[in-house]
Amino acid sequence: MDTCRIPPNASKCSGSTMECFMVLSTQAQKISIGILCGLFGTMCIFENSLVLYLIFSSPGTRKKPSYLFIGSLALADILASIIFVCSFVNFHVFNEAGFSKEVFLLQLGGVNTSFSASLSSLLLTALDRWISISRPSEYKLLMTRKRAWTALAVLWVTCATIACLPLLGWNCCVLDSTCSELFPFVDDNYLSGWICFIVVLLGCIVYAYAHVLWRAHQHVAYMEKHQAQAGKQNTRMRMDVMLAKTLVMVLAVLMLCWSPVLVLMIYSIFSRLSDRLRKVFAFCSTLCLLNSMVNPIIYALRSKELFSSLRRVFSHFRRRLKAAEESPEAESTHKSSVIET
């Protein structure tokens, strides 16, 4: 079967070349992508919505900056799932290419904003843990709710601005420059800059977590040495160590899921991609949904506060369900007793 090859120049900007980016050639590939996106996307939206509910329904968690950052991560994952699934399935499975350049770049900007905000939220969470462990006596003064909300506002505005640069004019159609082999209308220089931005974020996160783990290791050694002193300080240290380990697990999953995509993006800048690699990129892109789906599971298993909130929600739901099942019987018993009277 002949494939559509696109030269790396501005001629890619014509509407007829949109089909050249539809790399799924068989019905089986399209069905597989559709099933993966539908399953991962649905689970991701449900799980992250539950995390947001657990965080903001409990006064104890919604007041803590660390959980505000986790809430920002959950919100980013929800938005990424909705925008990614709708645009990706519409383009690759249903082969819809009738939308304009602006609509496509707007969808791509939404996905990039969500992913960048997800990484940035992890970075803020890492900094929050670093301050909590390295300067515990000053933590409440340094990390206030007002500063946390301000940091989140700056985070989302910055990520949205960077992601929308192609829509604002930094694209290969306006600049008459080399286009990306992976994304229609996207300038190769912009893609290189965005990848550098993501790599810098990942580097900062890894550095912050390395320091957090080092301090957590020191705290574990301290607690083992002073087991008899079971006080509030030890309890706080155990919570910091637990949350630090949780966030490292989140980061590990993030790296495993996004490394294939980032590697192929970088490779596409320096070399031409074969049709097979472009198909591999399409399937690897669904791993971002898997990452967003796994994160809430890690929170529920590792965070005692969220797990306790989840148990309370389930207990409340079971009580209401039990009451709803017993109410008709109670009403029937009441009516029979009235008749007998």
Side-chain angles (χ1 to χ4, degrees):
M1 180 178 180
D2 294 333
T3 55
C4 185
R5 300 302 301 169
I6 310 172
N9 53 41
S11 65
K12 290 183 186 181
C13 296
S14 61
S16 61
T17 60
M18 289 288 288
E19 289 79 5
C20 299
F21 292 89
M22 300 174 182
V23 296
L24 303 182
S25 55
T26 66
Q27 194 67 22
Q29 293 174 353
K30 295 179 181 180
I31 293 175
S32 299
I33 285 288
I35 292 175
L36 290 175
C37 288
L39 177 62
F40 292 162
T42 302
M43 292 298 297
C44 175
I45 294 172
F46 171 76
E47 292 172 359
N48 283 284
S49 298
L50 181 60
V51 169
L52 284 177
Y53 174 78
L54 294 177
I55 290 175
F56 290 99
S57 64
S58 173
T61 54
R62 68 168 175 259
K63 294 180 180 179
K64 295 182 178 181
S66 57
Y67 286 102
L68 292 180
F69 299 147
I70 292 177
S72 174
L73 177 62
L75 177 61
D77 287 337
I78 291 174
L79 294 177
S81 299
I82 295 174
I83 302 173
F84 178 86
V85 169
C86 292
S87 59
F88 194 81
V89 171
N90 190 43
F91 186 80
H92 284 289
V93 177
F94 297 107
N95 297 137
E96 178 60 45
F99 42 79
S100 64
K101 176 191 70 175
E102 290 74 18
V103 172
F104 178 84
L105 292 178
L106 180 62
Q107 293 175 349
L108 184 62
V111 174
N112 289 346
T113 298
S114 304
F115 174 51
S116 302
S118 178
L119 274 181
S120 301
S121 299
L122 277 176
L123 178 58
L124 288 182
T125 311
L127 295 176
D128 174 75
R129 290 299 89 201
W130 177 77
I131 296 174
S132 176
I133 289 182
S134 61
R135 306 173 69 176
S137 60
E138 304 175 36
Y139 174 76
K140 291 186 178 180
L141 294 177
L142 295 175
M143 189 59 67
T144 61
R145 292 184 72 239
K146 182 178 180 180
R147 290 181 178 178
W149 282 111
T150 301
L152 288 175
V154 173
L155 177 159
W156 280 90
V157 171
T158 302
C159 292
T161 301
I162 294 175
C164 290
L165 287 177
L167 182 62
L168 298 175
W170 191 353
N171 58 74
C172 56
C173 298
V174 174
L175 300 178
D176 194 23
S177 57
T178 303
C179 294
S180 169
E181 286 190 87
L182 295 174
F183 307 102
F185 315 120
V186 174
D187 179 69
D188 256 349
N189 292 327
Y190 169 79
L191 183 60
S192 302
W194 187 81
I195 292 174
C196 290
F197 171 65
I198 297 301
V199 170
V200 169
L201 280 180
L202 289 173
C204 292
I205 292 172
V206 171
Y207 177 81
Y209 280 152
H211 186 81
V212 167
L213 282 180
W214 177 66
R215 295 305 297 263
H217 176 73
Q218 288 183 326
H219 285 182
V220 170
Y222 175 86
M223 287 186 292
E224 291 177 350
K225 187 177 180 180
H226 302 82
Q227 287 182 352
Q229 302 176 2
K232 184 177 181 181
Q233 185 69 16
N234 276 356
T235 302
R236 174 61 180 275
M237 287 181 180
R238 292 181 190 276
M239 291 176 61
D240 290 339
V241 171
M242 176 65 73
L243 189 51
K245 291 180 178 179
T246 299
L247 297 175
V248 169
M249 293 175 62
V250 172
L251 178 61
V253 172
L254 180 85
M255 295 293 291
L256 290 174
C257 291
W258 279 93
S259 291
V261 172
L262 291 176
V263 168
L264 287 173
M265 283 184 184
I266 296 172
Y267 182 77
S268 70
I269 295 174
F270 299 100
S271 179
R272 303 257 318 157
L273 292 177
S274 65
D275 292 331
R276 184 176 181 180
L277 283 179
R278 295 169 70 198
K279 291 179 182 179
V280 170
F281 178 80
F283 277 92
C284 288
S285 298
T286 60
L287 290 176
C288 65
L289 294 177
L290 178 63
N291 168 70
S292 299
M293 185 184 72
V294 170
N295 283 345
I297 298 176
I298 298 176
Y299 304 150
L301 293 178
R302 301 287 297 182
S303 173
K304 291 184 178 180
E305 292 183 346
L306 288 183
F307 187 71
S308 298
S309 298
L310 182 62
R311 291 182 62 182
R312 285 196 298 269
V313 170
F314 282 147
S315 298
H316 179 69
F317 177 76
R318 283 198 299 267
R319 287 196 299 268
R320 293 189 61 180
L321 186 62
K322 186 177 180 180
E325 292 176 351
E326 293 178 350
S327 58
E329 297 177 2
E331 184 177 354
S332 176
T333 304
H334 176 71
K335 287 182 178 179
S336 62
S337 62
V338 170
I339 294 174
E340 291 176 359
T341 305

